[in-house]
Structure formats: C-alpha cells, structure tokens
Amino acid sequence: MGAAENKQQQLNKKKKKQNQTQKEQQKQQMQMQMKMRCLSCEDSVIEEHQAILEELQNCPKPLDPKAQSRLQPMASFGPLRRPAWKTARRWLGDGVRGPRFTDVEGHLQKAKEFFTKPALSYPEYKQQCESLRLFAFGGVCGGCVLSLFLFPPKSSYWATWSPWQWAQYVGSCFKAAPALFATEKIETVSYQSILYPQRKVSATVPPASTVQSSPSKPVAPPKPRVLFVLGGPGAGKGTQCTNICTRFPHWSHISAGDCLRAERNDPQSKDGELINSYLKEGKIVPVEITVRLLEKAMQKDMAQGKTDFLIDGFPRNLDNVTGWEQVIGDRADVLGVLFFEATETEMEKRLLGRSATSGRVDDNLESIRKRFRTYEKETMPIVEKYKKQRMVFTVDGMQSVDEVWSHTLTKLREVEAVAVYGP
Ligand SMILES: Nc1ncnc2c1ncn2[C@@H]1O[C@H](COP(=O)(O)OP(=O)(O)OP(=O)(O)O)[C@@H](O)[C@H]1O
Ligand SMILES: O=c1ccn([C@@H]2O[C@H](COP(=O)(O)O)[C@@H](O)[C@H]2O)c(=O)[nH]1
C-alpha cells in the first residue's frame, strides 16, 4: 500500500468519524428538543417525533434534507403548541370568542343573554356564564364594601383599623404626639378625664362640691357618660351591671326600678302610693318622677368620683326618652344601649326563682306577665329606635351568668372604643 493510499484511508476514516460525531450531536440536540416539546405534546405529536428520530438514526447522511424539512417544525415552538404560560385560553373547543375583559358593555350584553337568550352551543353558554360571573363578583365585592361603609361592625378592631381611619393615622404622623405625662400639676380630677382626653367637658351637670380644684385654676369635671341598659324583665340586666361595677369602679349602676322602689318606701315621699300602683300593674311610672330620681342618684355618685353610668331599666318608653332629653339633654353623653336578649320562658323562670327572696310586689306570675306585655308594647320600640341609630350593643342573655358576663365584657369594650374613636 502506497503512502498516498494510506493517507487517503486516514482521511476517509477521519471524515467518517467527523460524520458520526456530527450525527451524534444532531441526535442529541433533537432528543433534547423532543424532551422539551413532548412535555406539552399530544400523543400523536410524540409518535410523530419518535418516527422522525428513528428516521434520523437510520439516515446514512449527516442531515438528510427530507428529515431536515420534517424536523423543522420541531425546532420552532410556534405552530404545533404554545407553552402553557403563553396560552391565552384553554382549548375546550370553544370557537366563540367573548368580549375583551375591558369591554363592559359586551359582557353586560352576554350576561343579559344568560337570562334572555338560550345558548345554542356550549361555548356560547360558557361565555354567558363568564360574563355573568364578572358582574356577580363585582356586585358581591361592591356590596360588601358598601355594607362595611354604611354599617361598620361595632368592633374595637374595626374602630381602630378601618380604612377610613387611615387618613387620620397618616395625618397623625405629622402631628406632635400628646404628652405621655402630665405637663402641669393636676389638683383633683377624675382619672377618667386622663384616660379619655377626647371627652368634652361640661360645666353644668355636676354640682360644685364634686370638684375640688385650686381657687385660681378651676378644673371642670368631665361630662358624665351614660349607657342605658335594656332588656326584658329578668333578662339579667341587674346581675351584669353589678359585675361591671365590681370590675370597673368608674362605672356606677343606677337602676330606675330600684330608685322607684326606694322612693315608694320613703314615708316622706308624696309619690309613694302612685309609684306602688304602677309597679304592681307593671306599668311605666310618669317620666318626671323617674328622671328626677335618676338625676339625683347620678349627682350623688358623681360626688363619689363616678363618671360613667349604667342606667338600668330606662328609658322604657318614648315618654321616657323625651323626658330624659328635656331634663338631662346634652349635660350627659349617651353612649348607647346595652341590650340583653332572652326568651320570655327563660325570663319567667328566672323571675319566679328570684321571687323567693326579692320581696318585690311585681315578682309574681300575674305581674310578671303584665310586665312582659308592657315591655313588648312600649320598650321594644325604643330598642328598635336606638338600633336604627346604630346605638345598640346586644348581648345574648340566654347563657349562664358567666358566659353572659364574658359577652357583656366584649360589648363594653366596643362601647368604650366607639366612645373614644367614634362610631
Ligand atoms: N344568665 C343567667 N342565667 C340564669 N339566671 C340568671 C342569669 N342572669 C340572672 N339570673 C337570675 O335571674 C334573676 C333575674 O336577674 P336580674 O335581676 O339580673 O334581671 P333583671 O333584668 O335586672 O330583671 P328586672 O328587670 O326585673 O330587674 C336573678 O335571680 C338572677 O340571679
Ligand atoms: O324607668 C322605669 C323603670 C321601672 N319602672 C317600673 O318599675 C318596675 C320594675 O322595674 P325593674 O327594671 O324590673 O326593676 C317596672 O315594671 C315599672 O313598673 C318604671 O315605671 N320606669
């Protein structure tokens, strides 16, 4: 074998090896592409790809033009299948294209058709549903926001964090914070005015004796705050008022019924007999008498440093409301109504239980039932009136005393939050 022949052989070998490497590389490349593409391919496409690959493996030349032309589509991602993130619509066979997302009128039309025009095909029906869904979603969200705006929940969290407080927060960032400690000497003032600095100050209600200030600098006492306590006879008003006052000494419990009973028992009172007859019949005593007694009791307790009052069992009718407004008016801040809810059956059971020890002339079945009727007819409309003004804090009075107490506490915090931050 000559040298030239040898050289030719070596060249051939080298060329063959180069061809093989090139073919191997192409095969690997194709396999990679297949792997990528076939992840999202239908079975028929996969089969097609496999056939092409086999063809390529058996192909004697590095890249047969026929194979190349068939492999071309595989190299480009376009025509066969888009990646999932590029797919605007799932392919459910719906050839019907709906209005664009921003085309409100178009969607409204489709949504209307849901009720008016029976769909002729599944895609049409689907489009109607999709358009209707937009309005249903918008309506529900809008309704929720509107109802939160119109009827904000009576929760201290809401009072503190609701969106309409945010502007206030932003504003407060640019204001100097109130001093943490007193900036001047305080002679004698209820700690309530420190706890609730927002409270307006009244110079009229409390008699001068309740405030001992230095002669040079009189300190006006805070305006008394009043929380009316209502609920059926035996709902547990008195029991929970006692709990509140035991735990929070700034609250004073004034029961309208107790005031009337004390007045009736006072031999000096000119109203004793009249009051007794009203009590026995479960009727509501004329408001002039009741409000006078309430004011007297409040002034007595204010002298002891009380500033917040639970007025239990009042106002019981519209006359009571008017009488209060005329006599007390804005000399006190009414925070709302703490309302205890319980069924008549439960209340009757409790009152009959209490009759064994209460000594009350009205704790007998006949008076109890009369009181229920008066309550339904005259007091419930007052509760409804305050409810309309969003001033009622309702407590479920049907549970055990302890459970009712825990619920009462929650409501009391709401009352405080609303009083401080506003409704
Ligand atoms: N949650 C309760 N479960 C069971 N018994 C209760 C509960 N709360 C109060 N009672 C009892 O029921 C009776 C009536 O309670 P309470 O005097 O507090 O009611 P009231 O609403 O103030 O009644 P009234 O309007 O007649 O003054 C009492 O004997 C009390 O111990
Ligand atoms: O504002 C009021 C409160 C009470 N009465 C009369 O007193 C009894 C008993 O009241 P209780 O709240 O149950 O202690 C009630 O039936 C009324 O007759 C009233 O006239 N006005």
Side-chain angles (χ1 to χ4, degrees):
M1 211 184 291
E5 212 174 317
N6 235 350
K7 202 175 174 189
Q8 184 58 42
Q9 260 185 0
Q10 271 180 353
L11 266 175
N12 282 349
K13 244 186 187 175
K14 200 175 168 191
K15 207 173 170 189
K16 203 174 169 190
K17 204 173 174 190
Q18 267 179 352
N19 275 349
Q20 263 177 354
T21 319
Q22 201 180 350
K23 200 173 152 190
E24 196 58 40
Q25 276 174 354
Q26 280 167 358
K27 189 180 155 190
Q28 274 175 7
Q29 206 179 343
M30 295 312 297
Q31 271 174 332
M32 276 290 287
Q33 282 181 351
M34 289 241 344
K35 240 189 202 166
M36 282 167 70
R37 290 183 48 71
C38 288
L39 283 176
S40 59
C41 279
E42 286 162 16
D43 286 350
S44 58
V45 180
I46 294 171
E47 276 165 21
E48 188 191 344
H49 289 181
Q50 272 166 352
I52 294 169
L53 198 63
E54 269 165 34
E55 200 172 311
L56 182 76
Q57 279 166 345
N58 301 328
C59 180
K61 291 177 188 166
L63 237 180
D64 180 72
K66 192 176 152 208
Q68 192 179 10
S69 74
R70 292 188 64 188
L71 286 167
Q72 199 57 45
M74 289 175 69
S76 68
F77 278 77
L80 282 178
R81 188 150 176 115
R82 284 167 168 275
W85 54 271
K86 275 192 177 175
T87 306
R89 296 172 74 90
R90 281 179 303 142
W91 184 250
L92 295 176
D94 50 348
V96 173
R97 287 238 164 226
R100 286 178 161 277
F101 181 74
T102 47
D103 180 4
V104 180
E105 239 174 75
H107 281 293
L108 188 62
Q109 180 62 29
K110 289 279 165 207
K112 273 190 203 157
E113 282 176 12
F114 179 87
F115 302 102
T116 55
K117 180 185 165 219
L120 297 177
S121 64
Y122 169 70
E124 192 181 355
Y125 174 70
K126 187 170 166 245
Q127 185 53 56
Q128 288 175 353
C129 292
E130 281 177 359
S131 295
L132 184 64
R133 187 175 61 187
L134 287 179
F135 293 101
F137 180 76
V140 170
C141 292
C144 291
V145 170
L146 189 70
S147 96
L148 276 175
F149 180 73
L150 293 176
F151 313 108
K154 282 183 175 169
S155 111
S156 52
Y157 282 104
W158 183 256
T160 315
W161 299 110
S162 62
W164 10 106
Q165 301 289 346
W166 294 348
Q168 213 175 312
Y169 285 132
V170 173
S172 70
C173 295
F174 301 99
K175 273 193 217 150
L180 193 56
F181 300 105
T183 48
E184 57 188 73
K185 189 179 172 196
I186 296 170
E187 295 292 335
T188 305
V189 65
S190 155
Y191 64 90
Q192 285 300 298
S193 60
I194 299 166
L195 280 178
Y196 306 111
Q198 291 92 330
R199 287 171 58 180
K200 289 171 230 146
V201 161
S202 154
T204 49
V205 163
S209 61
T210 58
V211 179
Q212 297 125 38
S213 55
S214 71
S216 58
K217 232 181 184 185
V219 179
K223 206 178 201 180
R225 302 194 311 171
V226 166
L227 183 60
F228 294 137
V229 183
L230 292 178
K237 305 181 292 291
T239 306
Q240 297 304 333
C241 286
T242 307
N243 278 344
I244 294 173
C245 296
T246 310
R247 170 94 181 261
F248 305 108
H250 61 280
W251 281 101
S252 153
H253 174 206
I254 295 177
S255 155
D258 283 352
C259 291
L260 290 168
R261 280 184 286 275
E263 183 70 5
R264 177 202 55 191
N265 293 342
D266 180 359
Q268 312 288 320
S269 170
K270 56 179 179 36
D271 300 320
E273 251 178 59
L274 180 138
I275 294 172
N276 200 41
S277 63
Y278 274 83
L279 291 185
K280 263 211 250 164
E281 288 304 307
K283 285 190 189 157
I284 296 166
V285 174
V287 67
E288 311 80 61
I289 298 177
T290 317
V291 172
R292 179 174 52 82
L293 295 174
L294 290 176
E295 190 182 11
K296 207 166 110 188
M298 282 173 73
Q299 289 191 335
K300 188 165 155 254
D301 281 1
M302 280 170 96
Q304 311 292 315
K306 306 280 184 186
T307 53
D308 293 2
F309 296 89
L310 297 160
I311 306 286
D312 170 6
F314 183 92
R316 271 181 137 92
N317 63 8
L318 198 57
D319 234 24
N320 280 186
V321 176
T322 318
W324 174 272
E325 275 163 10
Q326 281 170 356
V327 178
I328 307 291
D330 62 3
R331 288 188 296 148
D333 281 335
V334 175
L335 305 181
V337 175
L338 190 60
F339 174 54
F340 289 88
E341 235 174 2
T343 60
E344 272 191 18
T345 321
E346 175 65 20
M347 294 192 291
E348 189 176 294
K349 194 176 88 192
R350 289 180 191 174
L351 290 178
L352 289 175
R354 187 178 70 179
S355 70
T357 52
S358 70
R360 281 177 55 161
V361 289
D362 55 355
D363 272 353
N364 57 74
L365 201 54
E366 197 189 336
S367 295
I368 289 170
R369 298 224 165 131
K370 281 181 184 168
R371 286 157 70 195
F372 283 159
R373 298 292 71 83
T374 308
Y375 168 72
E376 273 304 319
K377 207 169 135 225
E378 302 201 43
T379 313
M380 266 320 281
I382 300 307
V383 175
E384 294 305 329
K385 168 187 138 49
Y386 282 113
K387 268 189 184 165
K388 280 191 193 128
Q389 296 174 34
R390 309 194 48 72
M391 287 177 77
V392 175
F393 300 83
T394 306
V395 176
D396 175 8
M398 290 294 286
Q399 316 299 316
S400 71
V401 173
D402 285 349
E403 282 164 327
V404 177
W405 166 233
S406 122
H407 200 185
T408 303
L409 254 183
T410 309
K411 292 292 160 175
L412 198 64
R413 286 195 190 109
E414 280 179 26
V415 172
E416 295 276 8
V418 172
V420 173
Y421 297 106

